[in-house]
Amino acid sequence: PTMASARRRFLRAVPRPKPSAPRLAYGGPSPRTTALARLSPGLARHPGSAGLRWISGRSARAHAEEEILEGLRRAAENARSVEDVRESEKDRDLALSIPGVPKAIKRKIHALHLQAAANAGAIELLESAVDAMVLDDINPDGRTYKRLISTCLQAQPPDPRRAESWEQRMVGAGINKSEALEDEITAVMAKCGFLRSAEKRIEAVIDENRIPGEASLNALVQAFAHATRPKKADHWLTQLKTIHGKVYGETYNSMIDASARADDIGNYLNDYWAERAENWFKEMKNSGDSPEGQTYRSLIEACARCGNSDRAEFWVGEMKSNGMLVDKAIYNLLITSCAKDRDVKRAVRLFDDMLAAGFTPDLMTFNAMIHTCVGVGDPEMAEKYLVQMRKHGLSASVSTYNALINACVKRSNIKKAEEWFDAMIDEGLKPDETSYNSLINVYAKAGEVESAEDYLNEMRQSGLTPDIITFSTMMTAYAHNGDVEGAELCMDEMREANLSPSVQTYGALINACAKAGDGGRAEFWLQEMRKEGVGMNVTTFTTAIDAWANKGDIDGMERNFRLMQASNVKPNNITITVLLKGCKRARMDLDNKVDPVAQAELYLNKMIDLDVTPDVRVLNGMIGLCRQHRNHKVAFNWLRKMQKMGVRLNKFTVKEMDRWGEMSGERAAVLKELRERGEVRAHDTNRRGSRRTSNQNNANRQSSRSRR
């Protein structure tokens, strides 16, 4: 029967009281009391009494109620769309409109409608159904909240934020949340990319001295790995192994893949990420999981990107021994590792092996070979592979020509760089930002500012927007000629283009000021750099100090050196060499009583206090400074002190001593030490005497000529 007919039968089964008969507060033939009595299996209440008695049989009302609930149940099971939920909502309202429906039946009616909305995945209708339930004075129970949260998590796409809000509402209602549901919310939140929120949830569980779920920890590790944040993923992987000891094989695969795609993979010494990937691979095998072909591929890629060709080839051998096929992509990865490692011989061998295996080289293969040749500074061999590429019917890409241009830039071969640039245009390719930046760079190194500006204008006319590398390169060109105004003009253009200057940009600008000997402008831009929060490094401060050192201004050097210490930037040997150069160019100030030698000693002691070991260049600079101010005692003290610190003296040390007669005794000892190490020839010990003898012989020859 339809819902409307069931409702009519239900209403006919309800005995209606006469208008004149008063309704009793407790008992009497009210619709609610009659419905409750006939719904129960034989339980009835005597009118006007508190006793109970059993009855037998089923009434028409109870039969009608069962029909209504059965109709709602069928609608809930078959609900698959929003329209089905709308129909279920109409049936719910129709059933609730019957007078005297008991609260227990109301709860069942609402629950069936909630089930219909959950089956259809209609989150908004499900939430409105819960609100209607609350308005009907029926508090949602734990099952209702769990159904609502599960619907949010299973929606397409999932909505873990909404699920978390309903979880908080459930806790606020005094209903305890289950650990399984909490773990599921965290796992879905991590998979959806809400990494920080998922991390906070797990941290809160740990702070409460509870154990986070295995699924949520695995999901968080995988999410950080897919987001190319292997450091975070490694941290939570360690937590996962400590807490549960079991790691999913999928999690290990994600970690190995993340190590291959790490942004800073080439910036670590000793192949950090390749070693981490190998460790995860071994842990994966020890846990009983069998690596797949993609796992080996990611491991080989991690070794290749680190430039570790030996390890990459080793894992290719392991892959073959396990019966897995090595395809063309693996060969391309191996040749790419040779480009990183600058191993041309290995690259050529792998290229030949690839041909012998029956694989046809593609654009990626030839690009890798060309980049390898460019890396070792062999543009002629790179050009040969370009010819082979064309024989295979492949057209060179912009990246290919950029590599060839870059090879010419490294050799400062401007003419050849322009030829490759013109060849790229003749082939119908459009140069990109890298192409123009390479040409601007080669002219900047040569100090040809006008040619660099011409290519900058051509870059703009071609529709390309100069980037931060372009402006930094132009600043380098201006710095080469000490053109502070041109460099500052580049800085203004960069800010107008809404580009944030980098530390390299400020470094080029400060270098221009240093070349021009303008310490005040260098210090101004150093302060600007600090205000804008750009991370300053030792090179930036050393360049700013050099601007004052060129003029021998000790006060300016001291201000910048103190700023360097206040910024927690550790000086290096180049810094102290520049400071010594400034002290050497300074003159004794009678008013301020600034002693350059004492100031240099102060810098050296500060450097040693900062655990920076001076090198031989610092020692040579100190000896030269002391020689200039005729301070033999200080020079001798620093010579012996640095020898005790393990500084290896060289021939330039002897050269500095050779200019100062008072150091002759120490010079002989140093020459003996260098001769024992094989760093000087035996006749160098008599160089001063040989020079005097040579001068005397020249004088004798001149006198004999004049006599003739």
Side-chain angles (χ1 to χ4, degrees):
T2 62
M3 192 62 66
S5 63
R7 180 177 181 275
R8 287 194 297 272
R9 293 177 59 187
F10 188 87
L11 292 176
R12 283 198 299 270
V14 178
R16 297 179 180 276
K18 296 180 180 179
S20 58
R23 296 178 62 88
L24 300 176
Y26 302 97
S30 66
R32 181 180 179 80
T33 305
T34 306
L36 179 60
R38 293 177 180 177
L39 180 64
S40 303
L43 186 62
R45 184 185 296 275
H46 254 308
S49 67
L52 300 174
R53 68 182 179 83
W54 295 95
I55 63 173
S56 61
R58 288 179 175 272
S59 65
R61 180 185 179 92
H63 182 67
E65 288 174 348
E66 289 181 1
E67 289 179 344
I68 291 174
L69 294 176
E70 183 63 26
L72 288 171
R73 190 175 293 109
R74 285 197 301 270
E77 292 175 354
N78 298 325
R80 295 293 182 270
S81 62
V82 177
E83 290 75 13
D84 295 338
V85 181
R86 297 289 186 190
E87 290 297 326
S88 175
E89 186 177 5
K90 293 178 182 178
D91 293 344
R92 179 202 64 183
D93 296 339
L94 188 62
L96 293 176
S97 65
I98 299 173
V101 179
K103 191 171 184 178
I105 299 298
K106 286 184 178 181
R107 181 179 291 277
K108 290 183 179 181
I109 293 172
H110 281 290
L112 290 172
H113 177 57
L114 288 171
Q115 183 182 350
N119 290 342
I123 301 177
E124 291 79 7
L125 295 177
L126 186 59
E127 290 179 341
S128 64
V130 174
D131 295 336
M133 192 176 183
V134 174
L135 291 174
D136 212 359
D137 198 22
I138 299 176
N139 294 324
D141 55 5
R143 184 181 299 177
T144 303
Y145 281 112
K146 290 177 183 177
R147 178 176 292 167
L148 181 58
I149 292 171
S150 299
T151 304
C152 296
L153 298 178
Q154 296 171 6
Q156 295 299 329
D159 194 347
R161 295 282 194 186
R162 184 175 290 185
E164 187 179 30
S165 65
W166 281 105
E167 180 192 37
Q168 296 171 357
R169 187 168 171 179
M170 179 176 69
V171 174
I175 302 173
N176 294 328
K177 57 183 178 181
S178 65
E179 293 183 357
L181 186 64
E182 183 182 23
D183 190 46
E184 184 180 3
I185 294 174
T186 306
V188 175
M189 191 170 287
K191 292 177 182 177
C192 291
F194 301 107
L195 300 180
R196 184 53 190 154
S197 299
E199 193 176 24
K200 284 183 177 180
R201 287 176 63 88
I202 293 179
E203 289 173 350
V205 171
I206 296 175
D207 292 341
E208 294 173 4
N209 294 325
R210 295 189 291 121
I211 299 176
E214 185 177 349
S216 59
L217 280 172
N218 275 282
L220 185 62
V221 173
Q222 294 176 28
F224 275 120
H226 290 315
T228 321
R229 297 176 64 183
K231 290 182 182 179
K232 274 286 187 181
D234 193 16
H235 166 72
W236 286 109
L237 181 63
T238 305
Q239 295 287 333
L240 174 61
K241 290 188 290 187
T242 304
I243 296 173
H244 294 285
K246 174 65 178 175
V247 181
Y248 298 163
E250 183 182 356
T251 305
Y252 278 121
N253 284 331
S254 301
M255 291 300 300
I256 296 172
D257 184 62
S259 65
R261 295 182 293 108
D263 293 335
D264 54 355
I265 187 169
N267 299 334
Y268 280 82
L269 298 177
N270 302 323
D271 305 336
Y272 175 80
W273 286 121
E275 291 179 0
R276 296 298 296 152
E278 289 180 345
N279 291 336
W280 292 322
F281 183 85
K282 293 175 183 177
E283 290 179 8
M284 181 180 181
K285 293 186 70 175
N286 293 335
S287 63
D289 293 316
S290 300
E292 301 174 351
Q294 182 59 39
T295 310
Y296 278 102
R297 189 186 302 274
S298 299
L299 185 57
I300 294 168
E301 185 178 357
C303 297
R305 291 192 63 191
C306 285
N308 196 333
S309 305
D310 293 331
R311 298 304 298 170
E313 278 203 83
F314 168 79
W315 289 112
V316 170
E318 288 287 312
M319 191 175 180
K320 291 179 180 178
S321 64
N322 289 325
M324 299 181 183
L325 297 177
V326 178
D327 55 7
K328 182 165 58 176
I330 299 294
Y331 279 106
N332 288 338
L333 288 174
L334 292 175
I335 297 174
T336 303
S337 70
C338 297
K340 279 269 186 180
D341 208 16
R342 297 183 178 181
D343 192 345
V344 179
K345 293 183 179 180
R346 190 194 298 263
V348 173
R349 177 176 58 79
L350 290 170
F351 185 82
D352 295 337
D353 292 345
M354 182 179 180
L355 294 176
F359 295 111
T360 303
D362 56 8
L363 185 62
M364 183 177 179
T365 311
F366 283 109
N367 279 340
M369 290 300 301
I370 292 173
H371 279 84
T372 306
C373 299
V374 168
V376 298
D378 192 349
E380 291 79 12
M381 182 180 289
E383 191 171 352
K384 291 180 181 178
Y385 279 102
L386 179 63
V387 174
Q388 289 191 37
M389 179 193 298
R390 289 169 176 166
K391 288 181 179 179
H392 280 78
L394 299 173
S395 300
S397 63
V398 176
S399 175
T400 309
Y401 280 108
N402 286 342
L404 294 168
I405 294 172
N406 191 32
C408 300
V409 171
K410 290 181 178 179
R411 288 191 172 186
S412 299
N413 192 339
I414 298 177
K415 182 179 179 181
K416 193 65 176 178
E418 287 187 338
E419 288 179 2
W420 286 119
F421 186 82
D422 296 336
M424 175 170 50
I425 297 175
D426 294 340
E427 200 166 329
L429 298 174
K430 183 179 179 181
D432 58 3
E433 290 85 352
T434 306
S435 311
Y436 283 103
N437 288 341
S438 298
L439 281 174
I440 294 172
N441 187 22
V442 72
Y443 281 111
K445 287 182 176 180
E448 299 185 19
V449 181
E450 294 182 358
S451 299
E453 289 177 344
D454 291 340
Y455 276 103
L456 176 61
N457 295 329
E458 183 179 337
M459 179 182 182
R460 287 170 172 162
Q461 292 173 2
S462 64
L464 298 174
T465 303
D467 55 10
I468 190 169
I469 299 177
T470 312
F471 286 111
S472 299
T473 308
M474 284 301 304
M475 286 186 184
T476 304
Y478 290 120
H480 190 276
N481 296 335
D483 188 354
V484 180
E485 294 182 0
E488 290 181 343
L489 182 61
C490 276
M491 178 66 76
D492 295 338
E493 291 181 0
M494 184 185 302
R495 289 176 172 174
E496 290 176 1
N498 294 324
L499 294 174
S500 300
S502 63
V503 61
Q504 290 81 11
T505 310
Y506 277 107
L509 181 55
I510 295 173
N511 188 30
C513 300
K515 289 285 183 66
D518 194 344
R521 295 303 296 170
E523 190 170 351
F524 167 78
W525 286 111
L526 192 66
Q527 294 289 351
E528 286 290 312
M529 187 178 181
R530 191 179 186 187
K531 289 178 184 177
E532 294 188 9
V534 180
M536 295 180 286
N537 54 25
V538 62
T539 305
T540 311
F541 280 106
T542 303
T543 307
I545 293 172
D546 190 43
W548 294 104
N550 288 332
K551 299 191 300 182
D553 192 330
I554 294 181
D555 292 336
M557 292 193 307
E558 180 67 19
R559 280 197 310 272
N560 286 272
F561 187 71
R562 289 178 181 175
L563 181 61
M564 184 179 188
Q565 291 180 305
S567 302
N568 295 323
V569 177
K570 189 176 181 180
N572 56 15
N573 281 290
I574 299 177
T575 310
I576 197 65
T577 302
V578 171
L579 289 169
L580 292 178
K581 180 182 74 172
C583 295
K584 192 173 182 180
R585 293 187 178 183
R587 293 289 182 267
M588 185 72 75
D589 194 338
L590 298 178
D591 296 330
N592 298 324
K593 304 297 181 181
V594 178
D595 185 2
V597 176
Q599 189 70 25
E601 282 195 285
L602 181 64
Y603 289 138
L604 279 172
N605 289 323
K606 285 183 179 179
M607 186 176 180
I608 295 172
D609 292 340
L610 293 172
D611 295 331
V612 179
T613 303
D615 59 8
V616 67
R617 292 175 299 176
V618 176
L619 173 62
N620 295 340
M622 190 64 188
I623 293 176
L625 175 64
C626 294
R627 178 180 59 81
Q628 180 178 331
H629 292 275
R630 308 300 300 171
N631 198 329
H632 170 267
K633 183 178 180 181
V634 174
F636 180 77
N637 289 339
W638 279 104
L639 175 66
R640 294 305 174 206
K641 185 184 292 187
M642 289 194 183
Q643 279 185 311
K644 291 180 181 179
M645 295 173 64
V647 177
R648 291 174 62 90
L649 310 180
N650 58 16
K651 290 185 285 188
F652 293 99
T653 312
V654 180
K655 186 177 181 181
E656 286 292 338
M657 295 178 178
D658 198 26
R659 297 172 180 172
W660 194 2
E662 296 179 13
M663 294 284 287
S664 57
E666 288 77 15
R667 173 183 174 278
V670 172
L671 278 172
K672 181 180 179 182
E673 177 184 345
L674 294 177
R675 189 169 58 253
E676 290 174 353
R677 294 207 309 255
E679 296 185 13
V680 297
R681 293 170 296 182
H683 63 270
D684 284 343
T685 55
N686 299 321
R687 185 172 55 182
R688 294 179 64 190
S690 299
R691 186 181 302 138
R692 285 196 297 268
T693 304
S694 176
N695 293 336
Q696 184 65 37
N697 292 336
N698 291 335
N700 293 336
R701 280 194 294 270
Q702 289 178 0
S703 61
S704 62
R705 288 195 196 100
S706 36
R707 281 196 301 273
R708 285 196 295 270

